[in-house]
Amino acid sequence: CDSQGKRELICPICKELFTHPLILPCQHSVCHKCVRELLMLNHEDSFDAGSECSLPGSPRSRVPSPSMERLDRLVRSGGSQGSISSPGWRRGSVTPRVTTIPCPGCQHDIDLGERGISMLFRNFTLENIVERYRQAARAAVAIMCNICKPPQQEATKSCMDCKASYCNECFKLHHPWGTPKAQHEYVGPTTNFRPKVLMCPEHEMEKVNMYCEVCRRPVCHLCKLGGSHANHKVTSMSSAYKILKEKLAKSIHYLISKEDQVRTQITELEVLINKTEENGQLAERQANEHFERLFETLQERKSEMLRSIEQSRNRRMEQLRGQVEEYQGMLENSGLVGYAQEVLKETDQSCFVQTAKQLHVRIQKATESLRTFHPAADPCFDEFVLDTSREEMLLKEMCFGGVPDPPLIDLSNSRVYNEASICWRLSDDHLPTDHHMLEYRQSPSQEDGEDNGVWRATDRVYSPSTVVCDLEPDSLYSFRVRSCRNSMFSPYSPEVTFHTPPAPVFGFLFSDKCGFSTERLILNKRRDTVESVAGMAFLLAAERVQTGSYIGLDYIIGDTGISQGRHYWAFKVEPYSYMIKVGVASDTKLIEWFHNPRDTSSPRYDHDSGHDSGSEDACYELSQPFTFVTLGMGKLIIPKASSSSSSSTANAQSADPGNRMLPMPQRLGVCLDYDACRVYFYDADTMRCLYERQVDCSGTMYPAFGLMGSGKVQLEEFLASKRLAF
């Protein structure tokens, strides 16, 4: 491994060689200890039980941790109840709560599920590569035989079954011919002993022998028969090995065949590096020149304005000093008064008249100046006050006017169906832009991983949102946007990916005519939101609760039915809702419910499974004209099923009630395939299928909602508008 290849062996978190790397669901690898630290940083009380796939050692070994020992003590002391009242755990369960960590490789939030780290596989292939690199790095330090008595001999091979290293003599001694040990697998000297067989993290005693093409991870036969991969497409491990190995070998061969092209591109990159350095230095010099000119202009203006202030000050000082001298002359024994007193001593009349006439005029002027005193100059310099607020604002707004800042796509306000409404936002201090350009492409498939999608651009957009039409169903699409100002484009925004629904959008609103209960249900004017309130009728029904009867559900349906094709709709259920059933029902079944409410109030009737779940010997029909899932109190509950059900997912989940309960998604999607008589329930944000079931589509099918207690359902905006186009 050279210095370039060593980068592949470095953990993106600790920046050191991988130690017991785990494979995240996004296929990036992270050290085991780094995943634990990420969970601690996210304030998740994750009691990591440590699976055979995630902890060092053999597939049956476990590394004890304080949390694991504490868990064992709590389970033993709790007896049959198994109650754990510790933060991060649900009462009455030893299952840790759902943990989410940010992947340092792709920057996406990774949901580890309720089992946390124990659900992750160890990346043994990467471990071996790292170990080989370590051995090459310390080639001077030999691996010694673990059996020899001192002085120890240098090991020549390591046994993967015994997990020990031997010299030639010790290996022959402990692996004699004709014994089972002679069949052990041995390799060159190593200190990394991995399990010979990869075990399933969900079923600890089972080997993985299949590959799930949906989740892209190895699974065992129990995962397929009755686990979380029951409805997923799987293939044999040998087939997956062959296909993936051929693809990897093909890709490597392609890279090797393009070695000259890579070297040419490296040369081009080196030229670009030099140009970048030169252009960066040129930009620095030009910026310095601009600032120097600004400084010179400011210095010139400063000198001119200070000179004006100085001239005005000198002029006023001269005027005021002259006025002071004039007034000092009015004082006795000095100036004008003293001179007048001497003139009065003149006795010659002709001489006195000749002198006193002019003196009297001067005395009168002095007397008048005393009566109307005004300073010769104003000491206030208000006309020289400098207001630089506008200039300061301009200087603060001064920026490189060439390339605008890139926008950011607003995930919370963007929606993607068979058409997409993409919104973005600009920085708070951005300058006005001329227009925007949105680009999108269909992402490569999960199987081949080849990026053949071509970016397609929309027309110029003059607002922070636009619409993209004619998207393929059940596909991944990537979007990016950039802004333009003065013919200069900003960098692209970070790419975001959306998964389109498996069918076109089905437009409907809530119906206020068919069975709608005005006593307990509140419908808004647009008929896209319905709210259930526990009113007086609910309280009056409390007496029936005491006698063992259930309170009935209040049903509301869509105003448009489905009689053919595939259709998809989505909605949001408020987390505080007590209990809301959502799904589909036929027109005949709805009429039966609305006119015969005994079924909905019977304590033995369960709409989840479509049969009398309270009766052990009830006749169960394979396909019913309705299917519902239950949402409430922040949870989604998957229906129960019987042994005769064709849904393998339901079979597996009926055996373990804990598996039927999932976290409530923020948005739930429903897809009805009328022609195939099947209904699907999705997490509308990730388009992950949560549950699917066969349904009898012999009549017209309607979206149906049943509410009990407080609750609220809000249809998607696209559905509320009752149109497919924007």
Side-chain angles (χ1 to χ4, degrees):
C1 237
D2 56 12
S3 60
Q4 296 292 331
K6 182 181 177 182
R7 293 184 303 178
E8 303 294 332
L9 311 181
I10 299 297
C11 173
I13 297 180
C14 62
K15 305 303 180 183
E16 298 177 357
L17 290 175
F18 281 107
T19 304
H20 308 303
L22 304 181
I23 303 177
L24 299 178
C26 58
Q27 303 304 306
H28 290 101
S29 295
V30 182
C31 290
H32 177 271
K33 59 182 178 64
C34 295
V35 177
R36 293 175 61 90
E37 292 173 357
L38 277 179
L39 291 174
M40 295 176 63
L41 288 175
N42 287 350
H43 306 288
E44 295 288 344
D45 300 319
S46 176
F47 291 86
D48 177 20
S51 72
E52 67 225 14
C53 301
S54 61
L55 289 176
S58 69
R60 296 288 173 258
S61 66
R62 294 179 180 272
V63 176
S65 63
S67 60
M68 189 63 192
E69 294 174 357
R70 181 185 180 202
L71 173 60
D72 292 337
R73 290 197 304 270
L74 291 172
V75 172
R76 288 194 296 269
S77 62
S80 61
Q81 295 178 354
S83 175
I84 297 180
S85 57
S86 176
W89 293 74
R90 295 198 301 268
R91 184 173 297 277
S93 170
V94 296
T95 304
R97 67 187 180 188
V98 176
T99 53
T100 301
I101 61 172
C103 173
C106 58
Q107 307 301 321
H108 291 158
D109 287 339
I110 303 300
D111 187 358
L112 298 182
E114 295 193 351
R115 293 188 60 185
I117 301 179
S118 62
M119 284 297 295
L120 302 178
F121 282 105
R122 270 175 67 187
N123 193 338
F124 289 116
T125 302
L126 180 57
E127 277 192 50
N128 283 345
I129 297 174
V130 172
E131 180 61 26
R132 289 199 295 268
Y133 177 82
R134 285 196 174 102
Q135 291 180 7
R138 58 173 184 260
V141 180
I143 297 177
M144 308 306 294
C145 177
N146 300 133
I147 307 301
C148 286
K149 295 181 180 179
Q152 290 179 313
Q153 300 296 317
E154 183 176 341
T156 58
K157 54 180 66 68
S158 296
C159 179
M160 300 304 291
D161 294 87
C162 301
K163 294 179 174 52
S165 298
Y166 302 89
C167 64
N168 282 331
E169 296 301 325
C170 290
F171 185 81
K172 294 177 182 178
L173 181 64
H174 287 79
H175 298 77
W177 288 103
T179 65
K181 285 191 174 182
Q183 305 300 321
H184 284 188
E185 178 187 357
Y186 64 91
V187 296
T190 182
T191 58
N192 181 40
F193 300 100
R194 73 175 185 182
K196 295 185 65 176
V197 180
L198 198 62
M199 310 301 291
C200 177
E202 296 189 41
H203 307 93
E204 300 179 356
M205 303 302 295
E206 300 297 329
K207 304 175 183 178
V208 294
N209 54 5
M210 290 181 287
Y211 181 79
C212 178
E213 297 183 359
V214 177
C215 302
R216 293 185 297 169
R217 62 177 294 170
V219 296
C220 70
H221 69 285
L222 292 181
C223 293
K224 172 58 180 173
L225 291 178
S228 57
H229 305 269
N231 292 326
H232 294 177
K233 182 180 179 181
V234 299
T235 184
S236 64
M237 188 63 70
S238 60
S239 175
Y241 170 80
K242 181 180 178 180
I243 293 174
L244 292 176
K245 190 169 186 178
E246 288 179 355
K247 289 183 177 180
L248 183 59
K250 180 180 178 182
S251 300
I252 294 175
H253 178 72
Y254 176 80
L255 289 177
I256 294 175
S257 65
K258 298 295 182 179
E259 182 175 353
D260 293 339
Q261 180 180 346
V262 172
R263 295 186 183 280
T264 302
Q265 292 174 349
I266 291 175
T267 303
E268 293 177 358
L269 290 173
E270 291 175 347
V271 172
L272 291 177
I273 291 174
N274 294 331
K275 287 185 177 180
T276 302
E277 178 67 23
E278 295 174 0
N279 292 338
Q281 294 178 354
L282 176 61
E284 288 181 356
R285 290 196 299 269
Q286 291 176 344
N288 279 325
E289 292 174 0
H290 284 294
F291 278 103
E292 289 297 334
R293 286 198 293 270
L294 284 177
F295 294 153
E296 292 175 0
T297 303
L298 284 174
Q299 191 63 41
E300 291 176 1
R301 293 297 298 154
K302 175 183 175 182
S303 300
E304 293 176 1
M305 299 184 78
L306 291 180
R307 191 180 307 113
S308 299
I309 294 175
E310 183 179 9
Q311 292 174 353
S312 178
R313 183 190 62 207
N314 293 337
R315 184 175 65 253
R316 297 183 191 193
M317 293 291 290
E318 291 178 0
Q319 292 174 348
L320 291 173
R321 287 194 180 102
Q323 193 174 18
V324 168
E325 293 177 357
E326 181 181 349
Y327 274 64
Q328 284 179 345
M330 300 179 189
L331 299 178
E332 186 177 0
N333 299 324
S334 65
L336 181 61
V337 174
Y339 176 64
Q341 289 176 342
E342 293 298 325
V343 170
L344 288 174
K345 296 178 181 179
E346 177 63 50
T347 57
D348 186 278
Q349 293 181 354
S350 58
C351 291
F352 176 80
V353 172
Q354 181 183 12
T355 304
K357 185 175 180 59
Q358 183 182 7
L359 180 60
H360 183 258
V361 174
R362 293 177 60 193
I363 292 295
Q364 280 184 330
K365 289 182 179 180
T367 303
E368 290 177 0
S369 65
L370 288 174
R371 294 194 189 101
T372 58
F373 174 73
H374 291 288
D378 187 359
C380 183
F381 281 72
D382 290 342
E383 65 269 28
F384 292 98
V385 173
L386 188 63
D387 181 12
T388 61
S389 57
R390 184 171 62 88
E391 288 75 10
E392 290 177 5
M393 184 64 68
L394 290 175
L395 287 175
K396 290 179 180 179
E397 293 179 353
M398 183 171 54
C399 62
F400 298 107
V403 180
D405 295 331
L408 289 176
I409 294 180
D410 189 351
L411 295 175
S412 60
N413 292 321
S414 298
R415 290 287 184 269
V416 175
Y417 293 89
N418 49 306
E419 295 177 332
S421 173
I422 305 299
C423 304
W424 56 87
R425 59 179 183 270
L426 304 174
S427 59
D428 296 336
D429 55 350
H430 75 281
L431 295 176
T433 55
D434 298 333
H435 63 273
H436 310 280
M437 294 289 290
L438 177 72
E439 296 184 0
Y440 65 99
R441 67 176 177 181
Q442 190 169 357
S443 300
S445 64
Q446 300 289 345
E447 296 181 359
D448 52 36
E450 296 180 0
D451 190 357
N452 296 324
V454 178
W455 286 103
R456 289 178 285 177
T458 63
D459 295 332
R460 291 184 177 184
V461 181
Y462 298 95
S463 62
S465 65
T466 190
V467 172
V468 179
C469 303
D470 301 327
L471 300 182
E472 294 291 333
D474 198 16
S475 302
L476 284 172
Y477 279 89
S478 298
F479 297 86
R480 65 185 185 184
V481 64
R482 58 178 177 168
S483 302
C484 179
R485 181 175 64 241
N486 298 329
S487 300
M488 296 290 292
F489 279 98
S490 73
Y492 284 106
S493 66
E495 292 183 27
V496 298
T497 302
F498 290 96
H499 199 299
T500 59
V505 171
F506 177 60
F508 70 91
L509 296 173
F510 287 120
S511 174
D512 57 356
K513 296 179 174 58
C514 183
F516 174 66
S517 172
T518 57
E519 296 179 355
R520 293 179 296 273
L521 297 183
I522 299 176
L523 196 60
N524 67 344
K525 293 182 178 180
R526 295 177 57 184
R527 292 194 291 120
D528 64 345
T529 300
V530 62
E531 186 173 5
S532 173
V533 293
M536 186 60 65
F538 191 90
L539 295 177
L540 292 176
E543 295 180 357
R544 288 195 295 161
V545 176
Q546 294 175 356
T547 61
S549 296
Y550 287 177
I551 298 173
L553 294 171
D554 293 308
Y555 279 94
I556 186 169
I557 64 174
D559 60 358
T560 306
I562 299 173
S563 56
Q564 63 178 357
R566 287 170 57 91
H567 304 274
Y568 175 88
W569 60 93
F571 50 87
K572 177 181 179 181
V573 173
E574 292 296 337
Y576 69 80
S577 302
Y578 177 68
M579 189 179 81
I580 297 180
K581 290 180 179 291
V582 299
V584 295
S586 67
D587 49 358
T588 56
K589 199 65 182 179
L590 289 169
I591 294 175
E592 178 183 343
W593 289 343
F594 292 147
H595 290 83
N596 188 11
R598 289 183 303 166
D599 289 345
T600 59
S601 62
S602 169
R604 297 168 60 82
Y605 193 86
D606 184 3
H607 287 318
D608 281 347
S609 59
H611 71 289
D612 186 354
S613 59
S615 175
E616 296 298 333
D617 56 354
C619 177
Y620 176 70
E621 298 180 17
L622 181 62
S623 179
Q624 290 284 346
F626 61 90
T627 293
F628 291 89
V629 296
T630 304
L631 298 99
M633 308 304 291
K635 298 293 181 182
L636 182 146
I637 303 175
I638 293 176
K640 293 182 288 185
S642 70
S643 59
S644 61
S645 172
S646 63
S647 174
S648 55
T649 304
N651 283 330
Q653 289 160 342
S654 64
D656 184 4
N659 289 340
R660 296 176 54 214
M661 187 175 298
L662 303 174
M664 181 192 296
Q666 292 188 354
R667 297 162 53 239
L668 189 71
V670 181
C671 177
L672 176 63
D673 190 335
Y674 188 93
D675 301 329
C677 295
R678 204 153 186 86
V679 63
Y680 306 83
F681 297 87
Y682 292 90
D683 182 335
D685 289 322
T686 62
M687 292 311 300
R688 180 170 65 97
C689 184
L690 304 175
Y691 176 68
E692 63 174 291
R693 184 180 177 82
Q694 188 173 351
V695 62
D696 181 7
C697 295
S698 57
T700 301
M701 307 298 292
Y702 287 86
F705 304 82
L707 295 86
M708 176 186 288
S710 297
K712 185 177 181 180
V713 180
Q714 182 173 354
L715 301 179
E716 284 287 348
E717 183 179 355
F718 290 0
L719 310 184
S721 62
K722 292 201 68 175
R723 54 197 175 100
L724 298 182
F726 293 85

